[in-house]
Short mmCIF file of all heavy atoms in Angstrom, two decimals:
data_model
loop_
_atom_site.label_atom_id
_atom_site.label_comp_id
_atom_site.label_asym_id
_atom_site.label_seq_id
_atom_site.Cartn_x
_atom_site.Cartn_y
_atom_site.Cartn_z
N LYS A 90 2.85 -5.20 12.09
CA LYS A 90 2.74 -5.80 13.45
C LYS A 90 3.27 -4.89 14.52
O LYS A 90 3.36 -5.40 15.71
CB LYS A 90 3.42 -7.18 13.33
CG LYS A 90 2.63 -8.07 12.52
CD LYS A 90 3.17 -9.46 12.54
CE LYS A 90 2.45 -10.23 11.55
NZ LYS A 90 1.88 -11.46 11.77
N GLY A 91 3.71 -3.76 14.22
CA GLY A 91 4.35 -2.89 15.22
C GLY A 91 3.30 -1.96 15.99
O GLY A 91 2.25 -2.35 16.38
N GLU A 92 3.69 -0.72 16.01
CA GLU A 92 3.04 0.22 16.80
C GLU A 92 3.09 1.55 16.10
O GLU A 92 3.98 1.69 15.15
CB GLU A 92 3.57 0.31 18.32
CG GLU A 92 4.95 0.71 18.31
CD GLU A 92 5.63 0.64 19.81
OE1 GLU A 92 4.91 0.56 20.73
OE2 GLU A 92 6.82 0.58 19.83
N THR A 93 2.35 2.57 16.70
CA THR A 93 2.58 3.93 16.06
C THR A 93 3.83 4.63 16.72
O THR A 93 4.13 4.16 17.89
CB THR A 93 1.37 4.82 16.31
OG1 THR A 93 1.12 5.01 17.78
CG2 THR A 93 0.08 4.08 15.71
N LEU A 94 4.32 5.60 16.18
CA LEU A 94 5.34 6.35 16.73
C LEU A 94 4.83 6.99 18.00
O LEU A 94 5.61 7.12 18.98
CB LEU A 94 5.85 7.44 15.76
CG LEU A 94 7.04 8.31 16.18
CD1 LEU A 94 8.24 7.43 16.57
CD2 LEU A 94 7.42 9.29 15.13
N ARG A 95 3.64 7.36 18.03
CA ARG A 95 3.08 7.97 19.24
C ARG A 95 3.12 6.93 20.57
O ARG A 95 3.57 7.27 21.64
CB ARG A 95 1.55 8.31 19.03
CG ARG A 95 0.96 8.91 20.33
CD ARG A 95 -0.52 9.08 20.01
NE ARG A 95 -1.20 10.03 20.92
CZ ARG A 95 -2.41 10.42 20.82
NH1 ARG A 95 -3.18 9.99 19.83
NH2 ARG A 95 -2.83 11.32 21.65
N GLN A 96 2.80 5.66 20.26
CA GLN A 96 2.87 4.63 21.21
C GLN A 96 4.29 4.47 21.69
O GLN A 96 4.55 4.32 22.90
CB GLN A 96 2.22 3.31 20.74
CG GLN A 96 0.81 3.37 20.49
CD GLN A 96 0.19 2.19 19.78
OE1 GLN A 96 0.82 1.77 18.79
NE2 GLN A 96 -0.96 1.73 20.16
N ARG A 97 5.15 4.51 20.77
CA ARG A 97 6.67 4.30 21.09
C ARG A 97 7.18 5.49 22.00
O ARG A 97 7.86 5.29 22.92
CB ARG A 97 7.46 4.22 19.83
CG ARG A 97 8.90 4.09 20.03
CD ARG A 97 9.39 3.05 21.04
NE ARG A 97 10.75 3.31 21.36
CZ ARG A 97 11.34 4.04 22.28
NH1 ARG A 97 10.56 4.93 23.06
NH2 ARG A 97 12.64 4.08 22.53
N LEU A 98 6.64 6.74 21.58
CA LEU A 98 7.25 7.80 22.30
C LEU A 98 6.67 8.00 23.85
O LEU A 98 7.15 8.55 24.66
CB LEU A 98 6.80 9.12 21.61
CG LEU A 98 7.61 9.35 20.35
CD1 LEU A 98 7.00 10.56 19.55
CD2 LEU A 98 9.13 9.60 20.61
N GLN A 99 5.55 7.21 24.01
CA GLN A 99 4.88 7.17 25.35
C GLN A 99 5.82 6.35 26.25
O GLN A 99 5.78 6.55 27.49
CB GLN A 99 3.49 6.65 25.29
CG GLN A 99 2.65 7.58 24.72
CD GLN A 99 1.24 6.87 24.58
OE1 GLN A 99 1.04 5.66 24.60
NE2 GLN A 99 0.25 7.80 24.40
N GLN A 100 6.82 5.52 25.70
CA GLN A 100 7.75 4.85 26.54
C GLN A 100 9.01 5.60 26.87
O GLN A 100 9.75 5.20 27.68
CB GLN A 100 8.25 3.69 25.84
CG GLN A 100 7.12 2.63 25.42
CD GLN A 100 7.58 1.66 24.36
OE1 GLN A 100 8.63 1.28 24.25
NE2 GLN A 100 6.58 1.00 23.70
N GLY A 101 9.12 6.78 26.40
CA GLY A 101 10.25 7.70 26.56
C GLY A 101 10.79 8.31 25.31
O GLY A 101 10.44 7.85 24.17
N ALA A 102 11.85 9.07 25.47
CA ALA A 102 12.48 9.69 24.29
C ALA A 102 13.15 8.66 23.51
O ALA A 102 13.75 7.72 24.03
CB ALA A 102 13.29 10.78 24.66
N LEU A 103 13.30 8.87 22.26
CA LEU A 103 14.10 7.96 21.32
C LEU A 103 15.46 8.45 21.38
O LEU A 103 15.88 9.71 21.48
CB LEU A 103 13.57 8.16 19.90
CG LEU A 103 12.12 7.57 19.54
CD1 LEU A 103 11.85 8.16 18.07
CD2 LEU A 103 12.11 6.15 19.66
N PRO A 104 16.46 7.49 21.21
CA PRO A 104 17.83 7.96 21.11
C PRO A 104 17.99 8.66 19.83
O PRO A 104 17.15 8.66 18.82
CB PRO A 104 18.55 6.52 20.79
CG PRO A 104 17.63 5.53 21.33
CD PRO A 104 16.23 6.08 21.18
N VAL A 105 18.86 9.72 19.80
CA VAL A 105 19.05 10.65 18.68
C VAL A 105 19.21 9.89 17.33
O VAL A 105 18.68 10.25 16.40
CB VAL A 105 20.32 11.58 18.87
CG1 VAL A 105 20.60 12.34 17.64
CG2 VAL A 105 19.99 12.36 20.12
N ARG A 106 20.00 8.78 17.31
CA ARG A 106 20.16 8.00 16.08
C ARG A 106 18.84 7.46 15.57
O ARG A 106 18.58 7.54 14.39
CB ARG A 106 21.21 6.96 16.25
CG ARG A 106 21.54 6.19 15.10
CD ARG A 106 22.51 5.16 15.34
NE ARG A 106 22.84 4.31 14.15
CZ ARG A 106 23.90 4.56 13.45
NH1 ARG A 106 24.99 5.43 13.91
NH2 ARG A 106 24.29 3.86 12.43
N LYS A 107 18.03 6.86 16.45
CA LYS A 107 16.82 6.33 16.04
C LYS A 107 15.78 7.44 15.61
O LYS A 107 15.00 7.36 14.59
CB LYS A 107 16.22 5.51 17.29
CG LYS A 107 14.88 4.71 16.87
CD LYS A 107 15.01 3.81 15.63
CE LYS A 107 15.54 2.46 15.90
NZ LYS A 107 15.61 1.64 14.68
N ALA A 108 15.73 8.45 16.34
CA ALA A 108 14.85 9.68 16.02
C ALA A 108 15.31 10.21 14.57
O ALA A 108 14.28 10.37 13.78
CB ALA A 108 15.03 10.81 17.03
N THR A 109 16.51 10.37 14.37
CA THR A 109 16.95 10.75 12.95
C THR A 109 16.56 9.83 11.93
O THR A 109 16.16 10.08 10.77
CB THR A 109 18.52 10.98 13.05
OG1 THR A 109 18.84 11.95 14.11
CG2 THR A 109 18.99 11.48 11.69
N GLU A 110 16.74 8.53 12.21
CA GLU A 110 16.38 7.37 11.23
C GLU A 110 14.88 7.54 10.91
O GLU A 110 14.50 7.57 9.68
CB GLU A 110 16.75 6.05 11.83
CG GLU A 110 16.40 4.92 10.99
CD GLU A 110 16.61 3.57 11.68
OE1 GLU A 110 17.65 3.46 12.42
OE2 GLU A 110 15.85 2.58 11.56
N PHE A 111 14.01 7.60 11.97
CA PHE A 111 12.57 7.75 11.66
C PHE A 111 12.32 9.07 10.87
O PHE A 111 11.52 9.12 9.97
CB PHE A 111 11.77 7.80 12.97
CG PHE A 111 11.72 6.43 13.64
CD1 PHE A 111 11.64 6.28 14.96
CD2 PHE A 111 11.60 5.23 12.84
CE1 PHE A 111 11.47 4.99 15.53
CE2 PHE A 111 11.49 3.94 13.34
CZ PHE A 111 11.42 3.89 14.79
N ALA A 112 12.91 10.18 11.26
CA ALA A 112 12.75 11.43 10.65
C ALA A 112 13.03 11.38 9.25
O ALA A 112 12.25 11.79 8.26
CB ALA A 112 13.46 12.64 11.26
N LEU A 113 14.16 10.72 8.80
CA LEU A 113 14.52 10.60 7.44
C LEU A 113 13.59 9.64 6.65
O LEU A 113 13.15 10.02 5.49
CB LEU A 113 15.92 10.02 7.27
CG LEU A 113 17.08 11.09 7.64
CD1 LEU A 113 18.48 10.26 7.70
CD2 LEU A 113 17.11 12.16 6.66
#
Side-chain angles (χ1 to χ4, degrees):
K90 299 186 186 227
E92 60 189 343
T93 65
L94 182 55
R95 178 187 203 177
Q96 291 167 321
R97 171 55 188 86
L98 290 172
Q99 289 172 342
Q100 300 167 22
L103 293 169
V105 172
R106 184 179 181 104
K107 186 53 86 175
T109 303
E110 180 183 319
F111 287 148
L113 287 172

